[in-house]
Amino acid sequence: MEYRKLGNSGFKISAVTYGNWLTHASQVENDLAYACVRAALDAGITTFDTADTYANTAAEKVLGDALKGERRESLEIFTKVYFPTGRMGPNDTGLSRKHIMESIDGSLSRLQTDYVDLYQAHRFDYETPLEETMQAFADIVRQGKALYIGVSEWDAEQLRAGHTLAEELGFQLVSNQPQYSALWRVIEEEVVPTAQELGMSQVVWSPMAQGVLSGKYKPGQPVPEGSRATDEKGGQKMIERWLRDEVLTAVQKLQPVADGLDITMAQLAIAWVLQNPNVATAIIGASKPEQIAPSAEISGLKLSDDVMTAIDDALADVVEKDPSLTESPKERLV
């Protein structure tokens, strides 16, 4: 396993992170979730990402149970705050001081830890003054409840504003968690250059474009039974944008590229995002323990310029690069 520094900090994390969005307390039973976490640890993954909103707080509890008994100093645990939780009342969402301070205590309790390594603003909150949000994060850092602060899906302007306030308050933003894959490159034009300037890393989710880059979805064929495309709890909506024949046809052109490297298409997708020097880690999920080791094994693979060009050529007509697609909801859900 390769380990990389997060932003300009001295904090190192595994280049592949295990995340439990859409899986723990949702798609998979707890015993299987525990087995997946054990498989991640066995594969050298030490970084785990979750959020209070996943399965309405239940995913955090499953992860806490799964990691119980592990040496805390050997783990890097990430969680997030913003989306509705609990009874979903008017203060059970967003980045107000009230919601942040209550949410961190709830997350620590469910994760069975005294602190999280990285606490992330899950989206930008247009309804709360940014000064209020950043002051709450500063207090959480001073209280020792979070060691580092990050954000998720903030655009370049928001990153710059948040970074400035963090510096004034005596801490730093070290990371941004965006969607990023060979198909979804909207962060490259504005977010990545800004993050590099500010000393922030990317902690990327969906490096396989919800599984499409694995190659298992074929043009003109029904989606596989039991796949994310059949999951009505959430996965189906996320993946449908990629289930167009022109996209699936382009993705199949990556098979010879992967074959030439003697790796799978899924491994190629993860290796591709890790080539970006601003990416600290790629978050993977799993519904079966055996899915994890192959993803972890690829963390140190360096792709040649010829391979990167071949990937670009195969996907050229279907890649999404519009930077305006990096955005947070203008209104809260509740």
Side-chain angles (χ1 to χ4, degrees), residues 55-266:
N56 194 15
T57 73
E60 283 186 326
K61 179 66 166 62
V62 173
L63 182 61
D65 288 342
L67 292 174
K68 189 175 182 179
E70 294 295 321
R71 182 176 183 269
R72 180 63 183 89
E73 293 84 355
S74 299
L75 303 173
E76 304 87 46
I77 299 175
F78 301 174
T79 193
K80 313 180 198 74
V81 57
Y82 170 84
F83 286 110
T85 55
R87 295 184 179 181
M88 302 187 183
N91 288 307
D92 291 333
T93 188
L95 298 177
S96 68
R97 181 177 182 85
K98 177 177 173 61
H99 185 53
I100 289 174
M101 302 306 281
E102 292 173 347
S103 293
I104 186 63
D105 287 341
S107 290
L108 295 179
S109 176
R110 290 184 291 271
L111 290 165
Q112 303 176 55
T113 181
D114 294 330
Y115 66 95
V116 291
D117 297 274
L118 181 69
Y119 199 41
Q120 303 160 97
H122 209 159
R123 291 296 184 272
F124 187 85
D125 186 0
Y126 290 91
E127 297 187 29
T128 299
L130 185 57
E131 293 81 359
E132 177 180 339
T133 296
M134 301 309 287
Q135 181 65 67
F137 283 140
D139 291 344
I140 284 172
V141 170
R142 291 190 182 97
Q143 292 167 4
K145 295 180 179 180
L147 304 186
Y148 299 92
I149 300 295
V151 301
S152 178
E153 296 290 358
W154 284 27
D155 65 26
E157 182 180 347
Q158 292 160 354
L159 292 180
R160 196 174 298 280
H163 181 270
T164 296
L165 283 170
E167 281 196 325
E168 292 174 358
L169 291 165
F171 73 101
Q172 66 178 123
L173 293 182
V174 297
S175 63
N176 177 50
Q177 185 174 134
Q179 181 178 181
Y180 185 52
S181 71
L183 285 171
W184 187 262
R185 308 186 191 185
V186 303
I187 63 171
E188 290 183 341
E189 183 177 333
E190 297 179 1
V191 167
V192 167
T194 299
Q196 288 175 321
E197 175 192 340
L198 300 176
M200 300 175 65
S201 296
Q202 308 302 316
V203 174
V204 304
W205 60 275
S206 199
M208 288 190 286
Q210 285 82 53
V212 167
L213 286 168
S214 71
K216 67 181 178 182
Y217 299 96
K218 312 292 185 184
Q221 296 184 22
V223 298
E225 286 297 322
S227 67
R228 179 167 294 183
T230 64
D231 174 31
E232 296 180 355
K233 295 180 181 179
Q236 188 178 69
K237 287 186 177 181
M238 292 296 299
I239 199 175
E240 61 185 7
R241 72 167 72 131
W242 302 122
L243 297 181
R244 309 190 312 272
D245 276 356
E246 62 266 31
V247 174
L248 301 181
T249 299
V251 168
Q252 290 304 310
K253 296 177 184 177
L254 298 178
Q255 187 65 65
V257 180
D259 290 345
L261 296 169
D262 196 25
I263 60 176
T264 67
M265 288 174 65

